[in-house]
Amino acid sequence: MGLKLNITATSLLLLLASAAEVACDTIFYVTKYGERADGNTDISQALLKAWGDACSSPVASTVMTPDGTYALGQITIGGPCKAPINFIVQGTVKAPMDTRRFKAEAGWIAFQQIDQFTLSGGGVFDGQGKTVWGTKCPSSAYCNQLPILSSCIYMLMFNFITNSMVKDITSRDSKQFHINLLGCKNLTFYNVVISAPEESLNTDGIHIGRSSGINITDSTIETGDDCVSIGDGSEQINMQRVTCGPGHGISVGSLGKYPNEEPVVGISVKNRTLTNTQNGVRVKTWPASHQGTAYEMHFEDIVMNNVGNPIIIDQEHCPHNQCNLKIPSRIKLSSVSFRNIRGTTSTQVAVKLVCSQGVPCEDVELGDINLKYKGNEGHAMSQCKTIKPNLLGTQLPRTRA
Ligand SMILES: *[C@@H]1O[C@H](CO)[C@@H](O)[C@H](O)[C@H]1NC(C)=O
Ligand SMILES: *[C@@H]1O[C@H](CO)[C@@H](O)[C@H](O)[C@H]1NC(C)=O
Ligand SMILES: *[C@@H]1O[C@H](CO)[C@@H](O)[C@H](O)[C@H]1NC(C)=O
């Protein structure tokens, strides 16, 4: 009897010991897989091996890239994994200068099909974009002419990532788009810094497409293009305490260019500051467009510092005059509000609501708009076409046009 008990106790101890061992082994240091932090050696292979081991771990695990400077080529970091997984980046990870051999329309780093994933660590993803800024995207014909770009380059792609978190990281000097989301659900960005200089065209901050439950909070976006752009099929996108600028502001759209676009539903932008941006908050759709809808879009408690076009709905969005303005947009916009928007505007028309004559906007509200024009030709004005917004509180005078 006593002996039997002893055996059980011993095996229990052994079991505990091996559990402890598993717990210790759940941090996979990329440096133990032959990675060198010399800033030149490509760490792709080491990272893939560390990721593979972590991803097949039956308990929660961490891939760790300690402080240092690393070079990393094009890579897909993919799931599904067996348990929750963290990727901690403490150092600086640098993209190649020459991306001619990158797969077309892919990202530099693609995170794909991972559930319960956390990317964190205070590290920096450096796109080394300086040499290609100002070049057009996504017209691949144009891209092909470039010496070192074969196609549109997204820096960090999140494809089909669910129940996950990205926090305390910096994305710097992307070649083109910084962050692109596709098919993600319940993904939060917290304390993320995105930075590229004002003159770096096409370096959009975060583009969201066909994703739902996306929160962006307490983050800073400085870039040469849209800070955040929201494409079709985006639902329940919340942004709070995000600063933007320089850049082109935050935009929903352009919608309606392609057939079968999915609705945009439930956009909330709150407690946000925009500084020296070309635009503030805007919703844009193409004229002569395909059918679609966008509704429940609310912009609230926003401070504009020297912002051009602070509030815009533009259903005649037609860059480079490539469209037929005689045919109205077929994107139906409804339930849109702009409340408590204050600060300064660098264009005299501070509020511009141009709705479709085919499917006029419904239920658009303007509440407490306190914007001062910085120029000396008079007051800030508002302009409306095919729309009678519900007006609450302070408003700007209308233009005659
Ligand atoms: C969303 O993801 C977080 C992890 O970031 C998780 O804790 C939470 O339960 C998820 N929410 C839902 C509704 O699944
Ligand atoms: C995202 O933001 C919304 C609105 O602020 C909030 O209700 C929700 O709980 C947030 N989700 C996560 C996963 O933090
Ligand atoms: C955001 O919220 C904080 C704290 O509630 C407040 O102090 C700040 O003025 C708000 N900013 C904007 C832009 O509304």
Side-chain angles (χ1 to χ4, degrees), residues 91-158:
T92 297
V93 183
K94 292 190 161 195
M97 298 292 284
D98 187 339
T99 58
R100 259 175 309 191
R101 283 187 294 165
F102 272 26
K103 271 177 273 162
E105 303 298 321
W108 167 32
I109 305 176
F111 298 100
Q112 203 150 292
Q113 282 175 308
I114 317 168
D115 186 48
Q116 301 183 68
F117 169 58
T118 305
L119 172 62
S120 64
V124 176
F125 293 92
D126 184 350
Q128 304 213 85
K130 279 193 189 67
T131 46
V132 295
W133 286 333
T135 49
K136 271 277 178 202
C137 175
S139 145
S140 41
Y142 204 130
C143 285
N144 282 336
Q145 296 167 13
L146 297 172
I148 57 173
L149 270 184
S150 60
S151 69
C152 206
I153 300 295
Y154 301 98
M155 177 133 142
L156 304 176
M157 292 179 95
F158 294 88

Side-chain angles (χ1 to χ4, degrees), residues 167-309:
K167 61 177 181 185
D168 311 326
I169 63 145
T170 296
S171 173
R172 190 167 68 202
D173 292 346
S174 173
K175 288 189 172 60
Q176 289 167 334
F177 285 47
H178 278 268
I179 291 177
N180 192 69
L181 269 54
L182 175 69
C184 296
K185 284 203 169 80
N186 184 18
L187 173 60
T188 296
F189 288 82
Y190 170 76
N191 191 28
V192 168
V193 175
I194 293 175
S195 103
E198 189 168 9
E199 64 276 11
S200 61
L201 293 182
N202 298 313
T203 55
D204 295 50
I206 302 179
H207 178 75
I208 301 170
R210 307 209 167 189
S211 294
S212 65
I214 308 302
N215 285 10
I216 305 174
T217 54
D218 301 290
S219 292
T220 302
I221 305 175
E222 303 167 353
T223 178
D225 217 299
D226 287 340
C227 290
V228 177
S229 59
I230 297 170
D232 83 292
S234 298
E235 296 191 17
Q236 309 311 328
I237 312 297
N238 302 297
M239 278 173 249
Q240 279 194 54
R241 297 181 302 278
V242 175
T243 62
C244 163
H248 294 185
I250 150 158
S251 66
V252 175
S254 317
L255 301 174
K257 189 169 189 180
Y258 303 100
N260 308 316
E261 286 184 357
E262 290 169 20
V264 169
V265 187
I267 308 298
S268 160
V269 179
K270 271 190 192 165
N271 197 278
R272 184 173 184 130
T273 303
L274 292 102
T275 303
N276 298 328
T277 54
Q278 224 176 59
N279 306 289
V281 288
R282 57 178 173 166
V283 178
K284 47 187 182 174
T285 76
W286 294 87
S289 73
H290 294 278
Q291 257 173 355
T293 56
Y295 54 99
E296 284 166 21
M297 298 182 280
H298 305 291
F299 305 91
E300 200 171 339
D301 299 326
I302 297 177
V303 172
M304 307 277 182
N305 296 317
N306 192 34
V307 165
N309 314 306

Side-chain angles (χ1 to χ4, degrees), residues 163-165 186:
N163 306 313
S164 296
M165 170 80 110
N186 184 18

